[in-house]
Structure formats: C-alpha cells, structure tokens
Amino acid sequence: MTHLKDLPLQSLQFYATAPYPCSYLDDRQARSQVATPSHLIHNDTYSELVAKGFRRSGLFTYRPYCDGCRACVPLRIVAEQFQPNRSQRRTQKQHAGLTAQICELTYVPEHYDLYLQYQTGRHAGGGMDQDSVEQYTQFLLQSRVNSRLVEFRDPPLQDGSPGTLRMVSILDVLNDGLSAVYTFFDPLARSGLGTYCVLWQIDQARRLGLPYVYLGYWIQQSPKMDYKALFNPHQLLIDGQWSEA
C-alpha cells in the first residue's frame, strides 16, 4: 500500500477509522483510511487520490486500511483497448433501446423510489433498503468533484412522455477517466443492466478521450465482484503500482 509520505497532497490529513464489520467478507473486520478535510478535495486532488486507490461515498473519501487483509484491490478498465466478450455484446444489444440522459446531481422522487426498489430487491436486510431521503441524498447527491447523474429509460411513449425509468448511475469525471460511484436499477427488469451501464461508461470515456474507467474495488473471494474482472483488459493496483491482470 502507498504510504502517506508518497502522496503529493500536503494540505490533506489522513486518519484510520475504528474497526467495523466488513460488508463483503463474512466474519471479518474492516477499517478505512479517510482523507480530510473534505472541502479541500476538489477534482484535481480527487483524481490523484482515486489513482492511489481511494473512493468516495458522498463527501467521505476513503480507501481500505484493514489489519492483516488486502482483499480489496482497486480495478480500472483500459477503455481504448477494451474488447467486449460474447456475453457483453449480447447484453449491449439487449439493452440498446435504452436512452441515456446526463443530468446534474439533483433529488428526484422517481430516482429515490427506484433506489429503494433496488435495495429491497437486491440487498434486502442490508440496511440500505430502509434509507431515508436524507441518507440517500448524503450518499449519492453530495459531491465536491465533477459528478454526473445518468438516467437510463425505455424509449419515449407515443404521446412524447418519458419512457419508464430503468436505471440510474452516479459517476465522477476525473482527469484520467470516469469513476463509477454507484448504480441502481429496476430489479425486475431484464438481466444485465449493471453490465450494460459499465459498457456505456467505457464508451463515454472513449468519447471524452479519457483512458480509464475506475470500477472501485475487486475482491477475488466475493461473488458480488466477479463481473468486474470480466472487463478486459483491466489493471489492478497492487503495492502502489497499476499493472494489467
């Protein structure tokens, strides 16, 4: 792991949290290293932090800092070199009719309703299925960096009204790529929406001339993370160095 003295971010301070239950691996304790103060973490600084393995949750910028565990490995896709596999091509074709609308971070009741449906359908009992509007807003709609909210809908209806909302994705536009913050979708819709969203992000990175799409952390022992390693070529951050897997 990169040491703090290696970070060219002299104005920031870093501290380690107390242990808490790991969200991904049963019977393990996790800790995070947090960058503060949050009001100094703007886009250039945050881009550097993400390249060193940090992520954000709302205004909270962190990276894993667990005692005796290095299971969480940052992963990024090399956008220009990416080649979809057969399953990904099928998913792209299946959802090609969706329309994407890029928006500012704004609270919309329809988005919140879909978020609760997703949490209830995919992560029931995890706690987030009970998130209040305030918790949802703090988690996804607070940012001091260059963030976007993307709506994915079915095609417009014959009367011109918007099609059914199927998916919402929050992403950050960094100096060297896009960082996928969080995506939620209709849990009853056709499968592959999450994969389709990553494919859309890769295409957007290419259009913007950005080399990478950062997918957060990959954990080899967690089945929830398997999909991330299927986007090739990708790079992993190990011992402070990005290298192709």
Side-chain angles (χ1 to χ4, degrees):
M1 178 175 289
T2 305
H3 295 290
L4 295 185
K5 63 183 177 60
D6 297 325
L7 291 170
L9 307 166
Q10 301 302 322
S11 59
L12 298 181
Q13 295 181 341
F14 300 82
Y15 69 89
T17 67
Y20 56 88
C22 179
S23 301
Y24 300 104
L25 300 177
D26 294 337
D27 302 322
R28 295 203 191 184
Q29 292 288 297
R31 297 175 76 197
S32 294
Q33 185 181 65
V34 182
T36 62
S38 63
H39 70 269
L40 295 182
I41 302 176
H42 298 293
N43 222 64
D44 289 347
T45 302
Y46 185 63
S47 295
E48 293 183 54
L49 287 169
V50 171
K52 294 181 181 298
F54 282 79
R55 298 275 293 164
R56 74 171 184 86
S57 175
L59 302 179
F60 181 80
T61 302
Y62 69 97
R63 66 178 174 183
Y65 199 67
C66 305
D67 300 322
C69 180
R70 295 294 180 267
C72 292
V73 182
L75 183 150
R76 68 186 185 187
I77 303 165
V78 184
E80 195 59 41
Q81 299 176 24
F82 170 74
Q83 294 292 332
N85 60 30
R86 183 177 180 180
S87 176
Q88 290 163 347
R89 290 195 298 271
R90 185 166 58 247
T91 297
Q92 197 161 32
K93 183 177 180 180
Q94 183 181 26
H95 297 290
L98 292 177
T99 61
Q101 177 70 33
I102 301 173
C103 314
E104 299 293 333
L105 296 187
T106 305
Y107 174 75
V108 177
E110 187 182 18
H111 297 168
Y112 175 62
D113 290 343
L114 182 64
Y115 173 82
L116 292 181
Q117 292 174 35
Y118 172 78
Q119 298 299 342
T120 301
R122 290 301 184 101
H123 305 291
M128 295 172 72
D129 52 341
Q130 301 296 321
D131 276 1
S132 65
V133 170
E134 182 180 5
Q135 289 170 313
Y136 165 79
T137 300
Q138 290 177 349
F139 175 38
L140 293 179
L141 303 182
Q142 291 188 353
S143 172
R144 287 193 172 93
V145 298
N146 188 6
S147 303
R148 295 290 183 270
L149 182 151
V150 188
E151 289 185 346
F152 294 86
R153 294 181 178 272
D154 287 339
L157 303 181
Q158 289 186 346
D159 63 3
S161 59
T164 301
L165 179 68
R166 296 298 183 187
M167 178 164 58
V168 172
S169 183
I170 311 296
L171 57 88
D172 296 332
V173 184
L174 309 177
N175 292 345
D176 67 345
L178 299 180
S179 176
V181 177
Y182 199 76
T183 297
F184 55 93
F185 49 82
D186 180 353
L188 300 180
R190 290 176 296 175
S191 62
L193 279 172
T195 294
Y196 177 78
C197 188
V198 176
L199 295 171
W200 184 89
Q201 291 167 355
I202 294 170
D203 180 67
Q204 287 297 299
R206 287 173 168 172
R207 291 172 183 267
L208 295 171
L210 299 171
Y212 304 114
V213 174
Y214 290 86
L215 291 187
Y217 304 115
W218 171 70
I219 302 174
Q220 187 174 18
Q221 303 98 308
S222 174
K224 295 179 182 179
M225 302 288 192
D226 287 347
Y227 76 96
K228 296 185 180 184
L230 298 178
F231 293 89
N232 292 301
H234 64 261
Q235 298 177 345
L236 302 176
L237 182 63
I238 300 175
D239 295 329
Q241 299 293 324
W242 288 100
S243 59
E244 289 198 9

